Amino acid sequence: MSTGTAVQDAAGRRDAARAMLQRPILTALHDPDSLDLVRRHSTALRAMFADRLGYTLIVETEFARLVKTPLDAAAPLRPLHRATGGAFGAIGYTYLALTAAALLAPGQGDRIPMAVLVEQVRADAAARDIEIADGLAERRHLVAALQALMEWGVVGETDLGDDQDRDTRDGDEVVLTVCRPLLRHLTAFALHDLPGPSAAITARPETPRRRLYRRLVEDPFTARDDLDPEALDVLIRERAEIARLLDEDFGLVLEVRTEGALAYDPDGNLTDLLFPGSGTVNQAALLLISELVDIVEPVPGSTVHVDATTLENTLAGLVATHARNWRGEYVRDVTALCRDVTALLVRLGLAHARDDGLLLTAPAARYRPTISEGPQ
């Protein structure tokens, strides 16, 4: 293999790995080019994901599925979100599980009318003594579940069946197409085999090197205080090698400072969470950081505790200033805004939630707007 071909092959493998990180479920319907790239490099990718991260990569004709291993118990969970931005709750996950089970019910083919799906969901819930909503609430939860499944490529909507379908159903009836092979791989293992809900997110014992590498790949920022002594020792001793692998595998650049480590993407697109970004929660979070840094004046490189009263009062002041441009539900309910802003900052690694407020991490100060003098 020539040098040019080897470089091109390495670049293609890295692009394929980035595609799987960005979208752990790739389908021919949503992104055929990326799926083709993953299939081309599937052997090397399977080995890399398994060895470095403890992940399982499943590659078939219609899809590729990256099954991830949970981070350690201290890492914040990343829930599903509805189209409106709200996180899935227990009811949302219940409907998602019931919908997926109904799509896999014996006798169901690759297409299923919506009415049949709804009846199957209701029947399965009743058989397991699960109380579900009815009316508008039922529709809202079913829509959220189906939107998630559509985004993953598990189901799609079609308005045409075969000739027999057209003769036996109403013309405006919604029919869903189902990718049954992918549906079977949505979860890492059969949920009915678990002893309890917590078992689904319990991290397995692994080497410090793999734990560290997974944190660097998956988290926007990894604080030194969040690393166990063994992982911290690996970061110190093997920093150069880890930096090389991050670049080779995913095109990430490792930056290590006193407060922790960051593996960032120079292209800025290898993320599922853009910040700063648009929307009320993003804007409020950015402005909140600036306000809190001014109030508490933290020592550079340190974390700082912000009590609940200061947090809510600061957000209330921001709401009063920006009420005309922010979503009405947040303007009317500052507590809800505080909850969602806190959740965003925690997901970004810029804060830790506390019962009595918030603990801002050192990287939060990077997002404080600065004023620079322009030419006179």
Side-chain angles (χ1 to χ4, degrees):
M1 182 183 294
S2 67
T3 302
T5 302
V7 170
Q8 186 176 18
D9 188 64
R13 186 171 60 251
R14 183 169 55 246
D15 288 345
R18 286 167 62 90
M20 288 308 313
L21 271 188
Q22 197 165 24
R23 194 181 181 100
I25 299 177
L26 280 176
T27 66
L29 177 64
H30 288 135
D31 195 344
D33 293 338
S34 292
L35 180 59
D36 285 344
L37 192 61
V38 169
R39 293 182 64 194
R40 198 177 311 145
H41 296 281
S42 60
T43 300
L45 290 175
R46 285 193 188 98
M48 184 274 289
F49 278 119
D51 294 343
R52 307 254 215 275
L53 296 163
Y55 294 170
T56 300
L57 178 62
I58 301 163
V59 182
E60 297 195 6
T61 303
E62 296 180 72
F63 69 90
R65 167 76 166 107
L66 184 63
V67 181
K68 297 186 177 185
T69 299
L71 295 174
D72 58 69
L77 298 178
R78 299 178 182 179
L80 289 176
H81 284 78
R82 302 173 184 272
T84 56
F88 266 52
I91 297 176
Y93 285 114
T94 298
Y95 270 89
L96 181 60
L98 286 169
T99 303
L103 292 170
L104 273 176
Q108 303 289 8
D110 295 336
R111 284 184 300 191
I112 178 173
M114 180 66 78
V116 174
L117 175 63
V118 172
E119 288 305 313
Q120 186 67 54
V121 167
R122 291 171 177 168
D124 289 344
R128 292 161 178 79
D129 295 325
I130 299 174
E131 293 186 11
I132 60 175
D134 54 15
L136 183 59
E138 177 190 52
R139 178 179 176 83
R140 185 171 64 249
H141 291 306
L142 277 172
V143 166
L146 286 171
Q147 284 175 335
L149 293 171
M150 286 180 177
E151 182 181 346
W152 296 333
V154 175
V155 297
E157 186 176 331
T158 180
D159 57 0
L160 290 177
D162 55 28
D163 291 338
Q164 183 178 0
D165 285 339
R166 286 193 291 267
D167 291 339
T168 58
R169 66 180 176 84
D170 296 334
D172 59 352
E173 184 179 1
V174 174
V175 175
L176 300 173
T177 56
V178 186
C179 181
R180 294 175 68 84
L182 173 55
L183 187 57
R184 296 186 179 93
H185 290 293
L186 280 188
T187 57
F189 31 70
L191 297 182
H192 58 74
D193 292 335
L194 296 179
S198 61
I201 57 174
T202 300
R204 298 176 304 211
E206 292 186 288
T207 64
R209 196 171 196 263
R210 183 180 285 174
R211 291 201 307 272
L212 172 65
Y213 199 74
R214 190 159 59 233
R215 284 292 296 268
L216 292 172
V217 169
E218 293 289 354
D219 277 354
F221 168 73
T222 300
R224 284 179 182 262
D225 292 344
D226 291 338
L227 295 175
D228 58 70
E230 293 83 3
L232 182 57
D233 183 59
V234 173
L235 178 63
I236 295 171
R237 289 188 298 101
E238 302 182 36
R239 173 178 173 177
E241 175 64 6
I242 291 172
R244 183 188 69 81
L245 292 176
L246 287 168
D247 177 52
E248 179 182 289
D249 293 341
F250 305 109
L252 297 174
V253 177
L254 179 64
E255 180 180 311
V256 180
R257 296 196 176 187
T258 303
E259 61 268 25
L262 173 74
Y264 70 90
D265 175 27
D267 294 338
N269 56 23
L270 190 57
T271 180
D272 61 344
L273 191 61
L274 294 176
F275 186 79
S278 60
T280 298
V281 174
N282 265 279
Q283 293 171 12
L286 184 62
L287 292 171
L288 177 67
I289 289 173
S290 178
E291 292 287 327
L292 292 178
V293 169
D294 282 342
I295 292 171
V296 299
E297 298 181 344
V299 176
S302 67
T303 59
V304 62
H305 178 260
V306 180
D307 63 85
T309 300
T310 300
L311 181 63
E312 292 187 10
N313 287 345
T314 304
L315 267 177
L318 291 172
V319 167
T321 302
H322 300 278
R324 294 181 60 184
N325 300 316
W326 286 359
R327 283 172 54 180
E329 62 188 86
Y330 287 127
V331 172
R332 293 186 296 271
D333 190 350
V334 177
T335 300
L337 178 61
C338 185
R339 178 199 64 217
D340 291 348
V341 165
T342 298
L344 174 62
L345 294 177
V346 170
R347 289 174 66 199
L348 289 165
L350 300 179
H352 298 297
R354 295 287 186 268
D355 292 338
D356 57 347
L358 199 66
L359 188 67
L360 284 180
T361 61
R366 292 190 177 197
Y367 292 93
R368 181 188 183 190
T370 58
I371 300 175
S372 59
E373 292 187 3
Q376 300 296 319

